[in-house]
Amino acid sequence: MKTISTWGLLLVLGIAAYIFRVPLLQTPAKWLIQEDKIEKADAIIVLSGGSFDRGNKAVELFNKGLAPRIICPGGNRAYEFEILNMHITEAEAAKINLVRQGIPDSAIVLLNAGTSTSEEAALLASYLVNRKYKKVIVLTSLYHTRRAGKVFGKALQHTNIKLMVCGAKSSRFNELYWWQTEDGLIAINNEVLKNLYYCFKRK
């Protein structure tokens, strides 16, 4: 009798999980997405690792007059350009995308350093303080906003700099329907694991 009850409960749970599968699967993506209300700032910081989508969003914000300059950090090599015999950093790749869309060279600050979110945050904290910046927009991939906000928030916690985190939508998958593509599966699962790693790392 107990076995029948157990199987009945599992069946009900299975049916419920199937019926509510979409909102259940959207939960991790919604947890990862954590943006701030954006206002005018001294600069837009385009984090490395996604020069196309992040750069496109930076152009949109710049053209709206939300900041007079765009800072591009990133010391890792942009390997997708190697096939064209171009040996450039991720920061330089981001700049190529910005210039291609009409952003003047004088408005772009290139920082060929930083190989991770935490390294870029530490580098930029010093850079921004030395130049007396008051407000900055940190621009990253939409699903990376929670982690980027925490990392930069910690790096800037002893400064008077206001941090605003903005996310760029992926051109390769829909963040809220991430399980429908391989790119989405990899990106969201990796980001959840990285967030968990950062949580345990701080303890």
Side-chain angles (χ1 to χ4, degrees):
M1 202 67 173
K2 188 180 288 187
T3 302
I4 295 174
S5 298
T6 301
W7 280 109
L9 177 61
L10 290 174
L11 178 61
V12 170
L13 290 174
I15 293 171
Y18 179 78
I19 293 172
F20 297 104
R21 65 190 183 282
V22 172
L24 285 172
L25 288 167
Q26 288 179 339
T27 299
K30 289 180 177 179
W31 178 72
L32 292 174
I33 299 170
Q34 194 170 70
E35 295 184 277
D36 297 312
K37 183 178 179 181
I38 304 301
E39 59 186 57
K40 281 193 174 183
D42 299 310
I44 300 165
I45 299 169
V46 182
L47 300 190
S48 65
S51 58
F52 182 71
D53 293 327
R54 299 175 189 183
N56 293 347
K57 185 67 176 181
V59 170
E60 177 189 324
L61 298 181
F62 182 89
N63 288 337
K64 287 181 178 178
L66 286 168
R69 63 187 60 82
I70 301 174
I71 302 173
C72 301
N76 287 321
R77 287 172 66 180
Y79 287 102
E80 61 271 24
F81 283 83
E82 297 289 324
I83 195 171
L84 299 174
N85 200 31
M86 295 173 64
H87 310 294
I88 62 176
T89 64
E90 290 183 342
E92 291 167 331
K95 181 178 179 179
I96 289 172
N97 189 25
L98 297 175
V99 172
R100 176 181 68 87
Q101 298 185 72
I103 303 299
D105 189 81
S106 59
I108 303 171
V109 178
L110 205 62
L111 299 176
N112 286 306
T115 60
S116 66
T117 304
S118 56
E119 283 188 17
E120 290 181 4
L123 167 73
L124 285 158
S126 176
Y127 179 90
L128 298 172
V129 168
N130 290 338
R131 286 157 183 78
K132 304 186 186 306
Y133 280 43
K134 299 298 181 186
K135 296 180 184 179
V136 293
I137 299 169
V138 170
L139 177 56
T140 187
S141 299
L142 192 58
Y143 60 88
H144 182 232
T145 47
R146 170 179 282 272
R147 184 159 58 93
K150 287 185 176 180
V151 173
F152 272 82
K154 184 177 180 180
L156 299 174
Q157 64 183 335
H158 299 304
T159 73
N160 293 319
I161 299 171
K162 180 174 181 178
L163 169 67
M164 293 167 283
V165 179
C166 180
K169 291 182 179 180
S170 174
S171 58
R172 302 173 73 172
F173 65 93
N174 184 324
E175 287 81 2
L176 291 180
Y177 293 89
W178 55 271
W179 63 91
Q180 294 180 349
T181 65
E182 185 176 355
D183 285 332
L185 281 166
I186 294 170
I188 298 300
N189 280 284
N190 282 351
E191 191 59 30
V192 168
L193 289 174
K194 287 178 181 179
N195 270 272
L196 293 175
Y197 169 74
Y198 271 74
C199 288
F200 286 114
K201 186 179 178 181
R202 289 198 299 269
K203 294 181 180 179

